[in-house]
Amino acid sequence: MAPRANWKGFLRLSLVTCPVALYPATSESEKISFNQLNRATGHRIKYLKVDADTGDEVSNEDIVKGYELDKGQYIEVTKEELEEIALESTRTIEIDEFVDKSDIDPRYLIRPYYLRPDGKVGHDAFAVIRETIREMDKVAIGRVVLTNREHIIALEPMDKGLVGTLLRYPYEVRNEAEYFDEIQDVKVTKDMLDLARHIVEKKSGHFDPEKFEDHYETALIDLINQKRAGKPITPKERPRAGNVVDLMEALRLSVGEEAAPAKAAKPAKKPKKVSAGQKEMLMSITGKKLAKETAAKKPSAKPQRKSA
């Protein structure tokens, strides 16, 4: 079952309109997460909204938004006032223009969403818009209102649906000159480039996200399982930095390292036998993502027939 839609409304290209729903394309809920605990009692920490001066707890109905003009000086803005300036286009993604994907600076990309027809009507109009974008090999630029703010959204076809990526406004992107101006102008020799190019060619391939493992997530799962089993936690030795200080020597050593055959991996150790009484106590966690995938693969249990 798909997650609940973040937004529902209409997609419009000139006079062609269809009802659509917007869904988050990414999720971090599968990652290991922690709660904060009181070390003395082991109880969870609870956060309260309190007055910064009096220390008294404040109920939600007594909390208003405020813009800080100066330190300690605020202009209060009510919910009703914010509703008054709400944009009229809250329920329509209006396609304004079509651009080449290469025109969009990666710094402007925020997060992706899936866009699909909402309900049983409008599939024809949705298909026309989708296939037009696909045939023209363009990205459709529109506007969408989420959480009362208007965002730029870039739409492109994916399979039978559309992927909409929220874009930043220019004022949200920092000027690179503030960071790059102090970089020294260095002349790179042809020999250095040739060695570096050789390394790149050896490492060239096609991007496949399945090849990458979240090593920190794996280490977290391993840490929790070790603590659950009552095993001592020993810090791992950090890799030491090499002593190579000459850039050309570093490049040459890198080329040699790439050419060297990979060492054979050591066979995995056999797991120790666990008694029946320990089995439940030592049952490992797998992480939310792996647990979800495993559950999806398990066949549903068949009901047993009772004999007459």
Side-chain angles (χ1 to χ4, degrees), residues 85-101:
I85 64 168
L87 300 168
E88 294 180 2
S89 59
T90 55
R91 285 287 167 260
T92 304
I93 298 176
E94 184 82 41
I95 296 177
D96 295 324
E97 61 178 344
F98 295 86
V99 302
D100 292 331
K101 190 173 182 178

PDB file of all heavy atoms in Angstrom, residues 85-101:
ATOM      1  N   ILE A  85      -3.236  35.713   3.709  1.00  0.00           N
ATOM      2  CA  ILE A  85      -2.275  35.867   2.606  1.00  0.00           C
ATOM      3  C   ILE A  85      -2.011  34.541   1.893  1.00  0.00           C
ATOM      4  O   ILE A  85      -1.108  34.455   1.063  1.00  0.00           O
ATOM      5  CB  ILE A  85      -0.939  36.459   3.107  1.00  0.00           C
ATOM      6  CG1 ILE A  85      -0.246  35.498   4.091  1.00  0.00           C
ATOM      7  CG2 ILE A  85      -1.145  37.827   3.728  1.00  0.00           C
ATOM      8  CD1 ILE A  85       1.187  35.881   4.382  1.00  0.00           C
ATOM      9  N   ALA A  86      -2.775  33.509   2.243  1.00  0.00           N
ATOM     10  CA  ALA A  86      -2.596  32.197   1.610  1.00  0.00           C
ATOM     11  C   ALA A  86      -2.783  32.321   0.104  1.00  0.00           C
ATOM     12  O   ALA A  86      -3.665  33.042  -0.378  1.00  0.00           O
ATOM     13  CB  ALA A  86      -3.577  31.194   2.187  1.00  0.00           C
ATOM     14  N   LEU A  87      -1.969  31.624  -0.655  1.00  0.00           N
ATOM     15  CA  LEU A  87      -2.015  31.705  -2.114  1.00  0.00           C
ATOM     16  C   LEU A  87      -3.226  30.970  -2.672  1.00  0.00           C
ATOM     17  O   LEU A  87      -3.656  29.952  -2.134  1.00  0.00           O
ATOM     18  CB  LEU A  87      -0.735  31.106  -2.697  1.00  0.00           C
ATOM     19  CG  LEU A  87       0.553  31.813  -2.257  1.00  0.00           C
ATOM     20  CD1 LEU A  87       1.769  30.981  -2.639  1.00  0.00           C
ATOM     21  CD2 LEU A  87       0.653  33.185  -2.901  1.00  0.00           C
ATOM     22  N   GLU A  88      -3.761  31.494  -3.768  1.00  0.00           N
ATOM     23  CA  GLU A  88      -4.953  30.903  -4.362  1.00  0.00           C
ATOM     24  C   GLU A  88      -4.651  29.582  -5.067  1.00  0.00           C
ATOM     25  O   GLU A  88      -5.520  28.756  -5.249  1.00  0.00           O
ATOM     26  CB  GLU A  88      -5.572  31.887  -5.367  1.00  0.00           C
ATOM     27  CG  GLU A  88      -6.118  33.159  -4.710  1.00  0.00           C
ATOM     28  CD  GLU A  88      -6.725  34.104  -5.737  1.00  0.00           C
ATOM     29  OE1 GLU A  88      -6.738  33.730  -6.929  1.00  0.00           O
ATOM     30  OE2 GLU A  88      -7.180  35.186  -5.353  1.00  0.00           O
ATOM     31  N   SER A  89      -3.376  29.396  -5.466  1.00  0.00           N
ATOM     32  CA  SER A  89      -3.029  28.207  -6.252  1.00  0.00           C
ATOM     33  C   SER A  89      -2.697  27.008  -5.371  1.00  0.00           C
ATOM     34  O   SER A  89      -1.848  26.195  -5.716  1.00  0.00           O
ATOM     35  CB  SER A  89      -1.825  28.522  -7.151  1.00  0.00           C
ATOM     36  OG  SER A  89      -0.721  28.914  -6.360  1.00  0.00           O
ATOM     37  N   THR A  90      -3.362  26.886  -4.228  1.00  0.00           N
ATOM     38  CA  THR A  90      -3.027  25.805  -3.303  1.00  0.00           C
ATOM     39  C   THR A  90      -3.431  24.435  -3.838  1.00  0.00           C
ATOM     40  O   THR A  90      -2.963  23.429  -3.334  1.00  0.00           O
ATOM     41  CB  THR A  90      -3.719  26.029  -1.948  1.00  0.00           C
ATOM     42  OG1 THR A  90      -5.123  26.179  -2.156  1.00  0.00           O
ATOM     43  CG2 THR A  90      -3.173  27.256  -1.248  1.00  0.00           C
ATOM     44  N   ARG A  91      -4.275  24.360  -4.820  1.00  0.00           N
ATOM     45  CA  ARG A  91      -4.771  23.074  -5.289  1.00  0.00           C
ATOM     46  C   ARG A  91      -4.476  22.823  -6.763  1.00  0.00           C
ATOM     47  O   ARG A  91      -5.089  21.942  -7.365  1.00  0.00           O
ATOM     48  CB  ARG A  91      -6.292  22.973  -5.033  1.00  0.00           C
ATOM     49  CG  ARG A  91      -6.624  22.732  -3.567  1.00  0.00           C
ATOM     50  CD  ARG A  91      -6.276  21.295  -3.177  1.00  0.00           C
ATOM     51  NE  ARG A  91      -6.279  21.083  -1.731  1.00  0.00           N
ATOM     52  CZ  ARG A  91      -5.210  21.058  -0.960  1.00  0.00           C
ATOM     53  NH1 ARG A  91      -4.014  21.261  -1.479  1.00  0.00           N
ATOM     54  NH2 ARG A  91      -5.292  20.839   0.332  1.00  0.00           N
ATOM     55  N   THR A  92      -3.548  23.573  -7.336  1.00  0.00           N
ATOM     56  CA  THR A  92      -3.228  23.375  -8.753  1.00  0.00           C
ATOM     57  C   THR A  92      -1.730  23.501  -8.990  1.00  0.00           C
ATOM     58  O   THR A  92      -1.101  24.439  -8.505  1.00  0.00           O
ATOM     59  CB  THR A  92      -3.964  24.400  -9.645  1.00  0.00           C
ATOM     60  OG1 THR A  92      -5.366  24.320  -9.410  1.00  0.00           O
ATOM     61  CG2 THR A  92      -3.685  24.136 -11.117  1.00  0.00           C
ATOM     62  N   ILE A  93      -1.170  22.513  -9.715  1.00  0.00           N
ATOM     63  CA  ILE A  93       0.196  22.634 -10.200  1.00  0.00           C
ATOM     64  C   ILE A  93       0.099  23.163 -11.622  1.00  0.00           C
ATOM     65  O   ILE A  93      -0.322  22.454 -12.541  1.00  0.00           O
ATOM     66  CB  ILE A  93       0.933  21.279 -10.184  1.00  0.00           C
ATOM     67  CG1 ILE A  93       1.047  20.742  -8.757  1.00  0.00           C
ATOM     68  CG2 ILE A  93       2.322  21.421 -10.802  1.00  0.00           C
ATOM     69  CD1 ILE A  93       1.672  19.363  -8.668  1.00  0.00           C
ATOM     70  N   GLU A  94       0.446  24.411 -11.792  1.00  0.00           N
ATOM     71  CA  GLU A  94       0.368  25.065 -13.092  1.00  0.00           C
ATOM     72  C   GLU A  94       1.711  24.946 -13.788  1.00  0.00           C
ATOM     73  O   GLU A  94       2.728  25.406 -13.275  1.00  0.00           O
ATOM     74  CB  GLU A  94       0.002  26.537 -12.912  1.00  0.00           C
ATOM     75  CG  GLU A  94      -0.200  27.299 -14.197  1.00  0.00           C
ATOM     76  CD  GLU A  94      -1.586  27.099 -14.768  1.00  0.00           C
ATOM     77  OE1 GLU A  94      -2.557  27.094 -14.002  1.00  0.00           O
ATOM     78  OE2 GLU A  94      -1.688  26.943 -16.002  1.00  0.00           O
ATOM     79  N   ILE A  95       1.756  24.290 -14.954  1.00  0.00           N
ATOM     80  CA  ILE A  95       3.003  24.178 -15.713  1.00  0.00           C
ATOM     81  C   ILE A  95       3.247  25.487 -16.457  1.00  0.00           C
ATOM     82  O   ILE A  95       2.449  25.909 -17.283  1.00  0.00           O
ATOM     83  CB  ILE A  95       2.961  22.996 -16.695  1.00  0.00           C
ATOM     84  CG1 ILE A  95       2.838  21.667 -15.932  1.00  0.00           C
ATOM     85  CG2 ILE A  95       4.215  22.986 -17.573  1.00  0.00           C
ATOM     86  CD1 ILE A  95       2.726  20.449 -16.811  1.00  0.00           C
ATOM     87  N   ASP A  96       4.374  26.157 -16.132  1.00  0.00           N
ATOM     88  CA  ASP A  96       4.661  27.469 -16.709  1.00  0.00           C
ATOM     89  C   ASP A  96       5.546  27.391 -17.945  1.00  0.00           C
ATOM     90  O   ASP A  96       5.387  28.174 -18.878  1.00  0.00           O
ATOM     91  CB  ASP A  96       5.356  28.353 -15.662  1.00  0.00           C
ATOM     92  CG  ASP A  96       4.444  28.660 -14.479  1.00  0.00           C
ATOM     93  OD1 ASP A  96       3.234  28.825 -14.706  1.00  0.00           O
ATOM     94  OD2 ASP A  96       4.940  28.717 -13.339  1.00  0.00           O
ATOM     95  N   GLU A  97       6.536  26.451 -17.920  1.00  0.00           N
ATOM     96  CA  GLU A  97       7.469  26.383 -19.049  1.00  0.00           C
ATOM     97  C   GLU A  97       8.132  25.014 -19.099  1.00  0.00           C
ATOM     98  O   GLU A  97       8.001  24.206 -18.175  1.00  0.00           O
ATOM     99  CB  GLU A  97       8.528  27.479 -18.937  1.00  0.00           C
ATOM    100  CG  GLU A  97       9.387  27.389 -17.696  1.00  0.00           C
ATOM    101  CD  GLU A  97      10.463  28.464 -17.648  1.00  0.00           C
ATOM    102  OE1 GLU A  97      10.727  29.071 -18.699  1.00  0.00           O
ATOM    103  OE2 GLU A  97      11.048  28.675 -16.567  1.00  0.00           O
ATOM    104  N   PHE A  98       8.846  24.766 -20.204  1.00  0.00           N
ATOM    105  CA  PHE A  98       9.593  23.519 -20.394  1.00  0.00           C
ATOM    106  C   PHE A  98      11.053  23.870 -20.640  1.00  0.00           C
ATOM    107  O   PHE A  98      11.351  24.758 -21.440  1.00  0.00           O
ATOM    108  CB  PHE A  98       9.033  22.728 -21.576  1.00  0.00           C
ATOM    109  CG  PHE A  98       7.628  22.240 -21.350  1.00  0.00           C
ATOM    110  CD1 PHE A  98       6.537  23.050 -21.650  1.00  0.00           C
ATOM    111  CD2 PHE A  98       7.393  20.977 -20.832  1.00  0.00           C
ATOM    112  CE1 PHE A  98       5.243  22.606 -21.441  1.00  0.00           C
ATOM    113  CE2 PHE A  98       6.107  20.529 -20.617  1.00  0.00           C
ATOM    114  CZ  PHE A  98       5.029  21.345 -20.921  1.00  0.00           C
ATOM    115  N   VAL A  99      11.949  23.167 -19.947  1.00  0.00           N
ATOM    116  CA  VAL A  99      13.376  23.469 -20.064  1.00  0.00           C
ATOM    117  C   VAL A  99      14.159  22.171 -20.247  1.00  0.00           C
ATOM    118  O   VAL A  99      13.647  21.077 -20.000  1.00  0.00           O
ATOM    119  CB  VAL A  99      13.899  24.213 -18.812  1.00  0.00           C
ATOM    120  CG1 VAL A  99      13.128  25.501 -18.586  1.00  0.00           C
ATOM    121  CG2 VAL A  99      13.838  23.323 -17.566  1.00  0.00           C
ATOM    122  N   ASP A 100      15.415  22.291 -20.677  1.00  0.00           N
ATOM    123  CA  ASP A 100      16.304  21.139 -20.738  1.00  0.00           C
ATOM    124  C   ASP A 100      16.743  20.783 -19.314  1.00  0.00           C
ATOM    125  O   ASP A 100      16.994  21.676 -18.494  1.00  0.00           O
ATOM    126  CB  ASP A 100      17.541  21.450 -21.583  1.00  0.00           C
ATOM    127  CG  ASP A 100      17.196  21.620 -23.055  1.00  0.00           C
ATOM    128  OD1 ASP A 100      16.212  21.003 -23.500  1.00  0.00           O
ATOM    129  OD2 ASP A 100      17.908  22.389 -23.737  1.00  0.00           O
ATOM    130  N   LYS A 101      16.865  19.507 -19.021  1.00  0.00           N
ATOM    131  CA  LYS A 101      17.270  19.070 -17.686  1.00  0.00           C
ATOM    132  C   LYS A 101      18.650  19.600 -17.325  1.00  0.00           C
ATOM    133  O   LYS A 101      18.931  19.919 -16.170  1.00  0.00           O
ATOM    134  CB  LYS A 101      17.265  17.541 -17.610  1.00  0.00           C
ATOM    135  CG  LYS A 101      17.435  17.007 -16.205  1.00  0.00           C
ATOM    136  CD  LYS A 101      17.248  15.511 -16.135  1.00  0.00           C
ATOM    137  CE  LYS A 101      17.367  15.012 -14.704  1.00  0.00           C
ATOM    138  NZ  LYS A 101      17.138  13.549 -14.612  1.00  0.00           N
TER     139      LYS A 101
END
